[in-house]
Amino acid sequence: MVPIRTLNGEARVINYEKEGNWTYLEPTINSNKNINSKLTLNAEGVFTGNLFIRKTGYYAQKQRKKLASLSKDSYLDEVESKHVDLEVEDYKVVSKDLIEKPITEVFKVKIFMNEDLGNTARINPFIFERINVNPFKLKERNYPVDFAHPFKSTFSLSLTIPKEYKVSKLPKNKAIALPNKGGTFIIKSEQKDNTINLYVSFSINRKTYTSEEYFALKEYFKQIIIAENSFILLEKNKV
């Protein structure tokens, strides 16, 4: 994999034994990030469970560089400072040095709501990798948008709630697409007994987008932020 900064079009292949040629620089490995979490919520407002993060392509390359530059304790301190209500109880990493394979991190976590559930509770299930800020703020754009490479991330959550509570509202199922197959965003949620399952998929399918496509990108991210600001509402069962 060449550095991201070199993904700028064509490159000349220099061969001293025969004639050189031009080649197009593009990733040979897809950059995907898959986050899978299985959590249990208790009446005291504490989530406990496991978090699995699997990365390939440039996501994996970036993560390996970070882990190589930090001690385990420093890295976990950084994770907990990014998610202030999260406490990592155990951690391991798989295939850290096997660069031909995806890198996978496994966390045993505890997440605090800082309050008991009470009679009603509102929970934002987008605990990890939530998009909070629209990167596109300009009123007009005269140059193409360059993401360097396509990428995709998925997030799945299996959340078991206390049996004394029922779900009164779930995030709405939603699908958003960029024109010309430029990307998709999907939310699916369902309830089975006292378990809530949530699936989110987000993709940017092209390296570059024209200035004319800028407004579609801006609206795309706006709608994602709105969708990820939805909540699960719980109500305590009446005795």
Side-chain angles (χ1 to χ4, degrees):
M1 293 175 64
V2 298
I4 289 179
R5 66 179 183 276
T6 67
L7 296 175
N8 58 358
E10 289 187 316
R12 185 69 175 174
V13 178
I14 305 299
N15 190 322
Y16 293 103
E17 297 180 358
K18 58 182 180 180
E19 185 179 356
N21 62 285
W22 290 97
T23 184
Y24 185 73
L25 292 176
E26 60 181 348
T28 56
I29 303 172
N30 293 332
S31 293
N32 294 332
K33 175 168 51 179
N34 307 106
I35 301 175
N36 184 288
S37 57
K38 188 173 184 179
L39 302 174
T40 299
L41 175 65
N42 63 27
E44 287 72 45
V46 179
F47 301 86
T48 55
N50 296 306
L51 172 67
F52 305 86
I53 304 177
R54 181 180 183 273
K55 297 178 180 178
T56 62
Y58 284 106
Y59 281 128
Q61 184 191 72
K62 182 179 180 181
Q63 189 63 24
R64 285 189 168 98
K65 286 182 178 180
K66 174 177 282 191
L67 293 177
S69 67
L70 297 171
S71 67
K72 179 180 177 180
D73 289 341
S74 296
Y75 173 62
L76 294 181
D77 285 344
E78 183 178 298
V79 171
E80 290 179 340
S81 64
K82 184 178 179 181
H83 304 281
V84 294
D85 298 322
L86 181 143
E87 178 182 303
V88 179
E89 298 186 316
D90 192 25
Y91 169 79
K92 67 177 180 179
V93 58
V94 181
S95 300
K96 176 183 175 182
D97 300 316
L98 300 176
I99 61 174
E100 72 278 5
K101 293 185 177 182
I103 185 171
T104 302
E105 296 175 275
V106 183
F107 299 81
K108 183 180 179 182
V109 298
K110 186 177 288 186
I111 305 170
F112 302 89
M113 288 181 60
N114 297 321
E115 60 181 12
D116 294 347
L117 295 186
N119 291 324
T120 61
R122 191 174 73 158
I123 301 166
N124 188 308
F126 306 96
I127 301 169
F128 308 101
E129 301 297 320
R130 179 181 173 188
I131 298 176
N132 292 309
V133 178
N134 193 332
F136 303 107
K137 300 180 174 65
L138 299 176
K139 292 184 178 180
E140 60 180 80
R141 172 100 178 191
N142 297 319
Y143 298 94
V145 176
D146 191 339
F147 286 99
H149 59 84
F151 56 89
K152 181 178 181 179
S153 66
T154 61
F155 169 64
S156 62
L157 169 66
S158 175
L159 175 62
T160 301
I161 63 173
K163 291 184 177 180
E164 59 265 33
Y165 285 84
K166 64 180 181 180
V167 177
S168 59
K169 187 177 181 181
L170 286 174
K172 293 181 179 179
N173 293 343
K174 192 168 187 176
I176 308 168
L178 282 166
N180 304 316
K181 299 181 179 180
T184 56
F185 175 79
I186 297 169
I187 291 180
K188 294 180 180 179
S189 63
E190 64 175 1
Q191 177 189 359
K192 292 183 178 180
D193 299 324
N194 65 323
T195 298
I196 298 166
N197 294 309
L198 177 75
Y199 173 79
V200 182
S201 174
F202 163 65
S203 69
I204 290 292
N205 296 339
R206 301 207 311 268
K207 174 184 184 294
T208 57
Y209 295 77
T210 67
S211 57
E212 289 78 15
E213 294 175 304
Y214 174 80
F215 298 102
L217 276 171
K218 185 177 180 180
E219 183 64 22
Y220 181 61
F221 278 83
K222 176 184 175 182
Q223 293 303 319
I224 290 172
I225 291 170
I226 292 172
E228 292 188 342
N229 197 36
S230 53
F231 291 84
I232 296 170
L233 295 180
L234 303 180
E235 291 183 7
K236 195 168 188 178
N237 294 324
K238 295 181 180 179
V239 179

